[in-house]
Amino acid sequence: MRLRTSLLVPVLASLTAACVVTPTRGTRQGSPPPPHEEPVVAGPPRPLPPRQTPPPHAPPPPHAPRPPHRPPHAPPPPVAEVPPTPEVSTQPGQPPFDTRGWTLLAEHVIDHRFSTDRFDYSQKYGNATKLVVAVLDGELVVNRFNLQTVAGQQLDAGVKHHFRERARLRSLPIPNGEILRVLWLEFDPPPRGTRARVQVWAQ
């Protein structure tokens, strides 16, 4: 019995020494072992997100055209002149039509003492084809326009005309081939204290 016990003592001592755990450096005795960490494997680099470009700016709204620059003391631009209407005189005593190309035969002033008047035509003016009678001042009612030729023929125009504001012209055609000598006017005498200035133009 003692022999068996002496044989078991060395065996138990070796088993006890095998069961003793030697603590590793950095760990406390009795603490659980650190968990197992898997090695980190470097993978391929992740692609960067696409770069966002800012939206294009909207074009600015169109501006109204600026007026042309004018120096502070520059004169204003010229205004186109509008020719006067044929029946309106722009200035007192001026013929109410464009007299370019016309020849003034005479100008007479008529008052209450007269009821007829004559205007002679000279051959130096050439052969006229029409006449224009203009009354510039006052009013005059002409009852008859009588044309007399160099052969002595009397040609009645057969018209009457009341010369007044906006009706101060009367055109008289001359028959073809006739040569004018005298123009006779028969009219109502103007009221006392008034006068009418009469012009006769030929072309």
Side-chain angles (χ1 to χ4, degrees), residues 15-202:
L15 291 176
T16 302
C19 292
V20 176
V21 178
T22 304
T24 60
R25 187 176 180 180
T27 60
R28 296 182 179 178
Q29 187 175 359
S31 62
H36 178 70
E37 296 181 1
E38 297 181 357
V40 178
V41 180
R46 296 181 181 180
L48 297 176
R51 184 178 180 182
Q52 297 182 358
T53 58
H57 296 284
H63 297 282
R66 295 183 178 180
H69 175 70
R70 184 188 301 169
H73 300 290
V79 181
E81 296 182 358
V82 180
T85 56
E87 295 294 340
V88 178
S89 178
T90 56
Q91 297 180 5
Q94 297 296 326
F97 72 105
D98 187 4
T99 59
R100 287 176 295 183
W102 292 80
T103 302
L104 178 62
L105 300 184
E107 175 181 316
H108 298 170
V109 177
I110 299 173
D111 56 19
H112 69 281
R113 300 172 298 173
F114 303 96
S115 59
T116 61
D117 198 2
R118 62 176 289 170
F119 294 84
D120 296 329
Y121 180 80
S122 176
Q123 300 302 314
K124 65 181 181 180
Y125 298 135
N127 190 12
T129 58
K130 55 185 174 180
L131 301 176
V132 166
V133 180
V135 175
L136 306 184
D137 304 324
E139 296 186 11
L140 187 66
V141 179
V142 178
N143 300 315
R144 185 182 181 187
F145 298 89
N146 189 15
L147 304 176
Q148 181 180 346
T149 65
V150 293
Q153 186 179 2
Q154 302 289 333
L155 303 175
D156 189 357
V159 294
K160 296 181 178 181
H161 192 79
H162 183 189
F163 293 92
R164 60 188 182 277
E165 202 63 39
R166 294 189 177 275
R168 297 194 174 280
L169 296 179
R170 182 67 191 188
S171 179
L172 301 174
I174 299 176
N176 293 333
E178 299 293 342
I179 302 176
L180 181 64
R181 176 69 182 87
V182 178
L183 170 64
W184 286 91
L185 300 181
E186 296 181 8
F187 47 83
D188 297 337
R192 185 179 294 271
T194 63
R195 298 187 304 176
R197 189 153 57 98
V198 183
Q199 292 181 348
V200 177
W201 299 77

